[in-house]
Amino acid sequence: MNIISRCRRTANRATTLAGSACGFVLLLLLALPISPATADTLQLAQADAAEVSFWDSVKDSDNPAELEAYLSTYPQGTFAALARIRLNQLNARAESSEAAVQEQADADTESAPVHECDTLAADPYDANRKAEGVPFEEFDAEPAVQACEQAVASYPASPLQYQLGRALWKGERATEALTWFRKAAEKDYAAATSSLGVMYQDGDGVAKDQARAIELFRKAAGQGDVFSEYALGLVYEDGIGTAKDEAEAVKWYRKAAEKDLPGAIYNLGRMYEDGRGVAKDDAQAAELFHKAAENGVRYAPYSLGLQYEYGRGVAKDESSCRMVP
């Protein structure tokens, strides 16, 4: 501690300025003219004290943000090298912890047997499901919730956590569903991340936030989630929460269509039919409408019928016109 700091602290005690050694030094300093060099020295001493105080407050912290704050304030500071070492250690520890969590989650997933939760609540569009899957509008929420609660109690694996969230969501218990989707999404379970995106998009169980929804759809799509690829197609086709971009919509519809998602197949056909985001191609549109119709897309037979009625991309054949309500 320099003499200026010692004297400042002593002056705050009950001792008088004139009756202490520090008082004598301060009186001497006050009696002397202060040169520019002396002023700079005093300012440097004060700056050093502030930095030391800042460093003392963060040096043992486990919060990387606090060390980053020190480095932002004192990028060339006395303790900058130590701060960077500490920050690297914390980041490495965090990465190791995340890897351990994921490894355990993978082990839980592998060890979990096919459970009644899988047969009652698996998502047919979840690439990691262990059973065939049940469309959302078709399964019974109450028995699925009971089965999935039992399954998660025994095997806290991501697919089962996601399926419990799905069952709760079907039972109109959105807030509880959100909790389980988040648990699975924290383990990078793509279907859960995608479902969170839908909840943010619709404001179901959480404040509506389209930007957050798109962020989640992009993350899940990057992990190969087919529904998120389809959702991004819708987002960009209609400009929902972002700039309209039909070429981007085509890109995402195509990715989902290549994985045989019926809705994406049909929407890609529409884009070819209208020449939106892609060169107009009636033959390609007719082919996609035919495939979508075979996969049960309600309006696909009607669209295909129009192609035949007007001979667009296919030989004209009015007898092949088919319409649905």
PDB file of all heavy atoms in Angstrom, residues 34-66:
ATOM      1  N   ILE A  34       2.856  21.470  -6.584  1.00  0.00           N
ATOM      2  CA  ILE A  34       2.616  20.183  -7.257  1.00  0.00           C
ATOM      3  C   ILE A  34       2.956  20.334  -8.732  1.00  0.00           C
ATOM      4  O   ILE A  34       2.313  21.107  -9.454  1.00  0.00           O
ATOM      5  CB  ILE A  34       1.162  19.727  -7.101  1.00  0.00           C
ATOM      6  CG1 ILE A  34       0.837  19.544  -5.609  1.00  0.00           C
ATOM      7  CG2 ILE A  34       0.893  18.455  -7.871  1.00  0.00           C
ATOM      8  CD1 ILE A  34      -0.596  19.129  -5.346  1.00  0.00           C
ATOM      9  N   SER A  35       3.991  19.642  -9.131  1.00  0.00           N
ATOM     10  CA  SER A  35       4.381  19.673 -10.534  1.00  0.00           C
ATOM     11  C   SER A  35       3.467  18.771 -11.344  1.00  0.00           C
ATOM     12  O   SER A  35       2.784  17.907 -10.788  1.00  0.00           O
ATOM     13  CB  SER A  35       5.834  19.180 -10.667  1.00  0.00           C
ATOM     14  OG  SER A  35       5.891  17.807 -10.333  1.00  0.00           O
ATOM     15  N   PRO A  36       3.427  18.928 -12.675  1.00  0.00           N
ATOM     16  CA  PRO A  36       2.631  18.010 -13.512  1.00  0.00           C
ATOM     17  C   PRO A  36       3.003  16.554 -13.289  1.00  0.00           C
ATOM     18  O   PRO A  36       2.146  15.681 -13.254  1.00  0.00           O
ATOM     19  CB  PRO A  36       2.960  18.474 -14.932  1.00  0.00           C
ATOM     20  CG  PRO A  36       3.326  19.913 -14.785  1.00  0.00           C
ATOM     21  CD  PRO A  36       4.026  20.013 -13.455  1.00  0.00           C
ATOM     22  N   ALA A  37       4.292  16.266 -13.115  1.00  0.00           N
ATOM     23  CA  ALA A  37       4.723  14.878 -12.904  1.00  0.00           C
ATOM     24  C   ALA A  37       4.162  14.334 -11.608  1.00  0.00           C
ATOM     25  O   ALA A  37       3.720  13.183 -11.524  1.00  0.00           O
ATOM     26  CB  ALA A  37       6.248  14.805 -12.896  1.00  0.00           C
ATOM     27  N   THR A  38       4.158  15.201 -10.552  1.00  0.00           N
ATOM     28  CA  THR A  38       3.615  14.760  -9.265  1.00  0.00           C
ATOM     29  C   THR A  38       2.121  14.484  -9.374  1.00  0.00           C
ATOM     30  O   THR A  38       1.595  13.511  -8.837  1.00  0.00           O
ATOM     31  CB  THR A  38       3.880  15.826  -8.198  1.00  0.00           C
ATOM     32  OG1 THR A  38       5.269  16.099  -8.148  1.00  0.00           O
ATOM     33  CG2 THR A  38       3.395  15.359  -6.836  1.00  0.00           C
ATOM     34  N   ALA A  39       1.405  15.338 -10.096  1.00  0.00           N
ATOM     35  CA  ALA A  39      -0.044  15.146 -10.285  1.00  0.00           C
ATOM     36  C   ALA A  39      -0.321  13.834 -11.000  1.00  0.00           C
ATOM     37  O   ALA A  39      -1.240  13.093 -10.650  1.00  0.00           O
ATOM     38  CB  ALA A  39      -0.623  16.323 -11.067  1.00  0.00           C
ATOM     39  N   ASP A  40       0.480  13.536 -12.017  1.00  0.00           N
ATOM     40  CA  ASP A  40       0.307  12.275 -12.756  1.00  0.00           C
ATOM     41  C   ASP A  40       0.518  11.088 -11.839  1.00  0.00           C
ATOM     42  O   ASP A  40      -0.177  10.071 -11.929  1.00  0.00           O
ATOM     43  CB  ASP A  40       1.283  12.210 -13.930  1.00  0.00           C
ATOM     44  CG  ASP A  40       0.895  13.164 -15.038  1.00  0.00           C
ATOM     45  OD1 ASP A  40      -0.273  13.635 -15.027  1.00  0.00           O
ATOM     46  OD2 ASP A  40       1.744  13.431 -15.913  1.00  0.00           O
ATOM     47  N   THR A  41       1.520  11.194 -10.948  1.00  0.00           N
ATOM     48  CA  THR A  41       1.804  10.099 -10.024  1.00  0.00           C
ATOM     49  C   THR A  41       0.635   9.857  -9.081  1.00  0.00           C
ATOM     50  O   THR A  41       0.247   8.722  -8.803  1.00  0.00           O
ATOM     51  CB  THR A  41       3.076  10.410  -9.206  1.00  0.00           C
ATOM     52  OG1 THR A  41       4.160  10.593 -10.105  1.00  0.00           O
ATOM     53  CG2 THR A  41       3.396   9.272  -8.242  1.00  0.00           C
ATOM     54  N   LEU A  42       0.049  10.954  -8.585  1.00  0.00           N
ATOM     55  CA  LEU A  42      -1.105  10.817  -7.692  1.00  0.00           C
ATOM     56  C   LEU A  42      -2.286  10.178  -8.411  1.00  0.00           C
ATOM     57  O   LEU A  42      -2.969   9.310  -7.891  1.00  0.00           O
ATOM     58  CB  LEU A  42      -1.506  12.198  -7.158  1.00  0.00           C
ATOM     59  CG  LEU A  42      -0.515  12.874  -6.191  1.00  0.00           C
ATOM     60  CD1 LEU A  42      -0.966  14.289  -5.889  1.00  0.00           C
ATOM     61  CD2 LEU A  42      -0.374  12.059  -4.920  1.00  0.00           C
ATOM     62  N   GLN A  43      -2.526  10.606  -9.658  1.00  0.00           N
ATOM     63  CA  GLN A  43      -3.637  10.053 -10.433  1.00  0.00           C
ATOM     64  C   GLN A  43      -3.413   8.569 -10.691  1.00  0.00           C
ATOM     65  O   GLN A  43      -4.334   7.761 -10.603  1.00  0.00           O
ATOM     66  CB  GLN A  43      -3.757  10.814 -11.753  1.00  0.00           C
ATOM     67  CG  GLN A  43      -4.971  10.382 -12.589  1.00  0.00           C
ATOM     68  CD  GLN A  43      -5.099  11.227 -13.841  1.00  0.00           C
ATOM     69  OE1 GLN A  43      -4.246  12.057 -14.136  1.00  0.00           O
ATOM     70  NE2 GLN A  43      -6.175  11.008 -14.575  1.00  0.00           N
ATOM     71  N   LEU A  44      -2.177   8.188 -11.016  1.00  0.00           N
ATOM     72  CA  LEU A  44      -1.860   6.789 -11.263  1.00  0.00           C
ATOM     73  C   LEU A  44      -2.087   5.953 -10.014  1.00  0.00           C
ATOM     74  O   LEU A  44      -2.618   4.849 -10.065  1.00  0.00           O
ATOM     75  CB  LEU A  44      -0.398   6.665 -11.717  1.00  0.00           C
ATOM     76  CG  LEU A  44       0.111   5.236 -11.974  1.00  0.00           C
ATOM     77  CD1 LEU A  44      -0.712   4.566 -13.064  1.00  0.00           C
ATOM     78  CD2 LEU A  44       1.588   5.260 -12.349  1.00  0.00           C
ATOM     79  N   ALA A  45      -1.697   6.504  -8.842  1.00  0.00           N
ATOM     80  CA  ALA A  45      -1.899   5.780  -7.591  1.00  0.00           C
ATOM     81  C   ALA A  45      -3.367   5.522  -7.340  1.00  0.00           C
ATOM     82  O   ALA A  45      -3.773   4.441  -6.909  1.00  0.00           O
ATOM     83  CB  ALA A  45      -1.289   6.575  -6.434  1.00  0.00           C
ATOM     84  N   GLN A  46      -4.211   6.549  -7.605  1.00  0.00           N
ATOM     85  CA  GLN A  46      -5.651   6.380  -7.422  1.00  0.00           C
ATOM     86  C   GLN A  46      -6.206   5.338  -8.386  1.00  0.00           C
ATOM     87  O   GLN A  46      -7.027   4.510  -8.018  1.00  0.00           O
ATOM     88  CB  GLN A  46      -6.342   7.733  -7.622  1.00  0.00           C
ATOM     89  CG  GLN A  46      -6.022   8.747  -6.532  1.00  0.00           C
ATOM     90  CD  GLN A  46      -6.580  10.109  -6.858  1.00  0.00           C
ATOM     91  OE1 GLN A  46      -6.927  10.394  -8.002  1.00  0.00           O
ATOM     92  NE2 GLN A  46      -6.644  10.963  -5.847  1.00  0.00           N
ATOM     93  N   ALA A  47      -5.754   5.378  -9.653  1.00  0.00           N
ATOM     94  CA  ALA A  47      -6.219   4.406 -10.648  1.00  0.00           C
ATOM     95  C   ALA A  47      -5.826   2.997 -10.240  1.00  0.00           C
ATOM     96  O   ALA A  47      -6.609   2.061 -10.342  1.00  0.00           O
ATOM     97  CB  ALA A  47      -5.652   4.749 -12.022  1.00  0.00           C
ATOM     98  N   ASP A  48      -4.610   2.846  -9.747  1.00  0.00           N
ATOM     99  CA  ASP A  48      -4.157   1.528  -9.313  1.00  0.00           C
ATOM    100  C   ASP A  48      -5.028   1.009  -8.179  1.00  0.00           C
ATOM    101  O   ASP A  48      -5.387  -0.167  -8.155  1.00  0.00           O
ATOM    102  CB  ASP A  48      -2.696   1.606  -8.853  1.00  0.00           C
ATOM    103  CG  ASP A  48      -1.736   1.750 -10.035  1.00  0.00           C
ATOM    104  OD1 ASP A  48      -2.199   1.542 -11.160  1.00  0.00           O
ATOM    105  OD2 ASP A  48      -0.563   2.080  -9.805  1.00  0.00           O
ATOM    106  N   ALA A  49      -5.359   1.871  -7.253  1.00  0.00           N
ATOM    107  CA  ALA A  49      -6.193   1.462  -6.122  1.00  0.00           C
ATOM    108  C   ALA A  49      -7.562   1.010  -6.599  1.00  0.00           C
ATOM    109  O   ALA A  49      -8.123   0.024  -6.122  1.00  0.00           O
ATOM    110  CB  ALA A  49      -6.319   2.610  -5.131  1.00  0.00           C
ATOM    111  N   ALA A  50      -8.131   1.725  -7.585  1.00  0.00           N
ATOM    112  CA  ALA A  50      -9.440   1.352  -8.124  1.00  0.00           C
ATOM    113  C   ALA A  50      -9.374  -0.004  -8.819  1.00  0.00           C
ATOM    114  O   ALA A  50     -10.267  -0.848  -8.676  1.00  0.00           O
ATOM    115  CB  ALA A  50      -9.923   2.423  -9.096  1.00  0.00           C
ATOM    116  N   GLU A  51      -8.283  -0.217  -9.568  1.00  0.00           N
ATOM    117  CA  GLU A  51      -8.145  -1.495 -10.269  1.00  0.00           C
ATOM    118  C   GLU A  51      -7.983  -2.647  -9.284  1.00  0.00           C
ATOM    119  O   GLU A  51      -8.590  -3.709  -9.441  1.00  0.00           O
ATOM    120  CB  GLU A  51      -6.954  -1.463 -11.234  1.00  0.00           C
ATOM    121  CG  GLU A  51      -6.827  -2.769 -12.015  1.00  0.00           C
ATOM    122  CD  GLU A  51      -5.557  -2.853 -12.833  1.00  0.00           C
ATOM    123  OE1 GLU A  51      -4.821  -1.848 -12.915  1.00  0.00           O
ATOM    124  OE2 GLU A  51      -5.292  -3.947 -13.371  1.00  0.00           O
ATOM    125  N   VAL A  52      -7.146  -2.425  -8.262  1.00  0.00           N
ATOM    126  CA  VAL A  52      -6.942  -3.465  -7.251  1.00  0.00           C
ATOM    127  C   VAL A  52      -8.263  -3.814  -6.577  1.00  0.00           C
ATOM    128  O   VAL A  52      -8.583  -4.977  -6.353  1.00  0.00           O
ATOM    129  CB  VAL A  52      -5.898  -3.008  -6.206  1.00  0.00           C
ATOM    130  CG1 VAL A  52      -5.878  -3.962  -5.012  1.00  0.00           C
ATOM    131  CG2 VAL A  52      -4.512  -2.953  -6.841  1.00  0.00           C
ATOM    132  N   SER A  53      -9.034  -2.782  -6.263  1.00  0.00           N
ATOM    133  CA  SER A  53     -10.324  -3.011  -5.623  1.00  0.00           C
ATOM    134  C   SER A  53     -11.254  -3.825  -6.535  1.00  0.00           C
ATOM    135  O   SER A  53     -11.919  -4.765  -6.090  1.00  0.00           O
ATOM    136  CB  SER A  53     -10.975  -1.670  -5.276  1.00  0.00           C
ATOM    137  OG  SER A  53     -12.251  -1.874  -4.710  1.00  0.00           O
ATOM    138  N   PHE A  54     -11.270  -3.459  -7.821  1.00  0.00           N
ATOM    139  CA  PHE A  54     -12.099  -4.186  -8.794  1.00  0.00           C
ATOM    140  C   PHE A  54     -11.633  -5.642  -8.885  1.00  0.00           C
ATOM    141  O   PHE A  54     -12.442  -6.578  -8.817  1.00  0.00           O
ATOM    142  CB  PHE A  54     -11.996  -3.495 -10.160  1.00  0.00           C
ATOM    143  CG  PHE A  54     -13.068  -3.873 -11.137  1.00  0.00           C
ATOM    144  CD1 PHE A  54     -13.460  -2.975 -12.121  1.00  0.00           C
ATOM    145  CD2 PHE A  54     -13.711  -5.113 -11.106  1.00  0.00           C
ATOM    146  CE1 PHE A  54     -14.448  -3.299 -13.041  1.00  0.00           C
ATOM    147  CE2 PHE A  54     -14.687  -5.445 -12.022  1.00  0.00           C
ATOM    148  CZ  PHE A  54     -15.061  -4.540 -12.995  1.00  0.00           C
ATOM    149  N   TRP A  55     -10.340  -5.838  -9.012  1.00  0.00           N
ATOM    150  CA  TRP A  55      -9.804  -7.192  -9.143  1.00  0.00           C
ATOM    151  C   TRP A  55     -10.112  -8.036  -7.905  1.00  0.00           C
ATOM    152  O   TRP A  55     -10.505  -9.190  -8.022  1.00  0.00           O
ATOM    153  CB  TRP A  55      -8.310  -7.143  -9.403  1.00  0.00           C
ATOM    154  CG  TRP A  55      -7.659  -8.498  -9.403  1.00  0.00           C
ATOM    155  CD1 TRP A  55      -6.739  -8.973  -8.527  1.00  0.00           C
ATOM    156  CD2 TRP A  55      -7.905  -9.557 -10.329  1.00  0.00           C
ATOM    157  NE1 TRP A  55      -6.389 -10.263  -8.831  1.00  0.00           N
ATOM    158  CE2 TRP A  55      -7.093 -10.652  -9.948  1.00  0.00           C
ATOM    159  CE3 TRP A  55      -8.717  -9.700 -11.437  1.00  0.00           C
ATOM    160  CZ2 TRP A  55      -7.073 -11.863 -10.628  1.00  0.00           C
ATOM    161  CZ3 TRP A  55      -8.708 -10.913 -12.133  1.00  0.00           C
ATOM    162  CH2 TRP A  55      -7.909 -11.969 -11.731  1.00  0.00           C
ATOM    163  N   ASP A  56      -9.949  -7.441  -6.723  1.00  0.00           N
ATOM    164  CA  ASP A  56     -10.247  -8.173  -5.485  1.00  0.00           C
ATOM    165  C   ASP A  56     -11.699  -8.639  -5.439  1.00  0.00           C
ATOM    166  O   ASP A  56     -12.012  -9.687  -4.862  1.00  0.00           O
ATOM    167  CB  ASP A  56      -9.954  -7.290  -4.262  1.00  0.00           C
ATOM    168  CG  ASP A  56      -8.460  -7.186  -3.966  1.00  0.00           C
ATOM    169  OD1 ASP A  56      -7.697  -8.020  -4.488  1.00  0.00           O
ATOM    170  OD2 ASP A  56      -8.066  -6.259  -3.227  1.00  0.00           O
ATOM    171  N   SER A  57     -12.584  -7.879  -6.077  1.00  0.00           N
ATOM    172  CA  SER A  57     -14.009  -8.231  -6.028  1.00  0.00           C
ATOM    173  C   SER A  57     -14.387  -9.339  -7.000  1.00  0.00           C
ATOM    174  O   SER A  57     -15.445  -9.954  -6.859  1.00  0.00           O
ATOM    175  CB  SER A  57     -14.861  -6.986  -6.313  1.00  0.00           C
ATOM    176  OG  SER A  57     -14.754  -6.606  -7.673  1.00  0.00           O
ATOM    177  N   VAL A  58     -13.538  -9.612  -8.010  1.00  0.00           N
ATOM    178  CA  VAL A  58     -13.920 -10.604  -9.029  1.00  0.00           C
ATOM    179  C   VAL A  58     -12.950 -11.778  -9.151  1.00  0.00           C
ATOM    180  O   VAL A  58     -13.264 -12.770  -9.805  1.00  0.00           O
ATOM    181  CB  VAL A  58     -14.050  -9.932 -10.425  1.00  0.00           C
ATOM    182  CG1 VAL A  58     -15.051  -8.795 -10.378  1.00  0.00           C
ATOM    183  CG2 VAL A  58     -12.699  -9.454 -10.954  1.00  0.00           C
ATOM    184  N   LYS A  59     -11.793 -11.706  -8.522  1.00  0.00           N
ATOM    185  CA  LYS A  59     -10.752 -12.694  -8.793  1.00  0.00           C
ATOM    186  C   LYS A  59     -11.144 -14.119  -8.431  1.00  0.00           C
ATOM    187  O   LYS A  59     -10.656 -15.077  -9.031  1.00  0.00           O
ATOM    188  CB  LYS A  59      -9.446 -12.309  -8.084  1.00  0.00           C
ATOM    189  CG  LYS A  59      -9.529 -12.327  -6.560  1.00  0.00           C
ATOM    190  CD  LYS A  59      -8.208 -11.896  -5.942  1.00  0.00           C
ATOM    191  CE  LYS A  59      -8.272 -11.922  -4.413  1.00  0.00           C
ATOM    192  NZ  LYS A  59      -6.997 -11.488  -3.817  1.00  0.00           N
ATOM    193  N   ASP A  60     -12.013 -14.283  -7.434  1.00  0.00           N
ATOM    194  CA  ASP A  60     -12.432 -15.628  -7.020  1.00  0.00           C
ATOM    195  C   ASP A  60     -13.836 -15.976  -7.524  1.00  0.00           C
ATOM    196  O   ASP A  60     -14.417 -16.983  -7.111  1.00  0.00           O
ATOM    197  CB  ASP A  60     -12.411 -15.742  -5.492  1.00  0.00           C
ATOM    198  CG  ASP A  60     -11.000 -15.583  -4.933  1.00  0.00           C
ATOM    199  OD1 ASP A  60     -10.068 -16.116  -5.556  1.00  0.00           O
ATOM    200  OD2 ASP A  60     -10.845 -14.929  -3.890  1.00  0.00           O
ATOM    201  N   SER A  61     -14.357 -15.149  -8.417  1.00  0.00           N
ATOM    202  CA  SER A  61     -15.724 -15.355  -8.899  1.00  0.00           C
ATOM    203  C   SER A  61     -15.809 -16.569  -9.832  1.00  0.00           C
ATOM    204  O   SER A  61     -14.872 -16.879 -10.580  1.00  0.00           O
ATOM    205  CB  SER A  61     -16.208 -14.108  -9.640  1.00  0.00           C
ATOM    206  OG  SER A  61     -17.468 -14.344 -10.229  1.00  0.00           O
ATOM    207  N   ASP A  62     -16.953 -17.252  -9.792  1.00  0.00           N
ATOM    208  CA  ASP A  62     -17.232 -18.347 -10.728  1.00  0.00           C
ATOM    209  C   ASP A  62     -18.108 -17.867 -11.880  1.00  0.00           C
ATOM    210  O   ASP A  62     -18.573 -18.685 -12.690  1.00  0.00           O
ATOM    211  CB  ASP A  62     -17.947 -19.497 -10.000  1.00  0.00           C
ATOM    212  CG  ASP A  62     -17.016 -20.231  -9.039  1.00  0.00           C
ATOM    213  OD1 ASP A  62     -15.797 -20.270  -9.322  1.00  0.00           O
ATOM    214  OD2 ASP A  62     -17.489 -20.743  -8.014  1.00  0.00           O
ATOM    215  N   ASN A  63     -18.331 -16.562 -11.943  1.00  0.00           N
ATOM    216  CA  ASN A  63     -19.163 -15.994 -13.003  1.00  0.00           C
ATOM    217  C   ASN A  63     -18.273 -15.381 -14.079  1.00  0.00           C
ATOM    218  O   ASN A  63     -17.638 -14.354 -13.855  1.00  0.00           O
ATOM    219  CB  ASN A  63     -20.096 -14.932 -12.415  1.00  0.00           C
ATOM    220  CG  ASN A  63     -21.068 -14.385 -13.448  1.00  0.00           C
ATOM    221  OD1 ASN A  63     -20.966 -14.686 -14.641  1.00  0.00           O
ATOM    222  ND2 ASN A  63     -22.011 -13.587 -12.988  1.00  0.00           N
ATOM    223  N   PRO A  64     -18.214 -15.983 -15.266  1.00  0.00           N
ATOM    224  CA  PRO A  64     -17.350 -15.441 -16.330  1.00  0.00           C
ATOM    225  C   PRO A  64     -17.653 -13.986 -16.661  1.00  0.00           C
ATOM    226  O   PRO A  64     -16.750 -13.227 -17.021  1.00  0.00           O
ATOM    227  CB  PRO A  64     -17.654 -16.357 -17.520  1.00  0.00           C
ATOM    228  CG  PRO A  64     -18.132 -17.640 -16.912  1.00  0.00           C
ATOM    229  CD  PRO A  64     -18.883 -17.230 -15.683  1.00  0.00           C
ATOM    230  N   ALA A  65     -18.915 -13.571 -16.521  1.00  0.00           N
ATOM    231  CA  ALA A  65     -19.294 -12.200 -16.874  1.00  0.00           C
ATOM    232  C   ALA A  65     -18.559 -11.172 -16.011  1.00  0.00           C
ATOM    233  O   ALA A  65     -18.227 -10.078 -16.481  1.00  0.00           O
ATOM    234  CB  ALA A  65     -20.801 -12.023 -16.741  1.00  0.00           C
ATOM    235  N   GLU A  66     -18.287 -11.514 -14.756  1.00  0.00           N
ATOM    236  CA  GLU A  66     -17.598 -10.580 -13.877  1.00  0.00           C
ATOM    237  C   GLU A  66     -16.137 -10.406 -14.288  1.00  0.00           C
ATOM    238  O   GLU A  66     -15.589  -9.300 -14.257  1.00  0.00           O
ATOM    239  CB  GLU A  66     -17.703 -11.053 -12.428  1.00  0.00           C
ATOM    240  CG  GLU A  66     -19.135 -11.008 -11.891  1.00  0.00           C
ATOM    241  CD  GLU A  66     -19.222 -11.409 -10.431  1.00  0.00           C
ATOM    242  OE1 GLU A  66     -18.184 -11.807  -9.856  1.00  0.00           O
ATOM    243  OE2 GLU A  66     -20.325 -11.319  -9.859  1.00  0.00           O
TER     244      GLU A  66
END
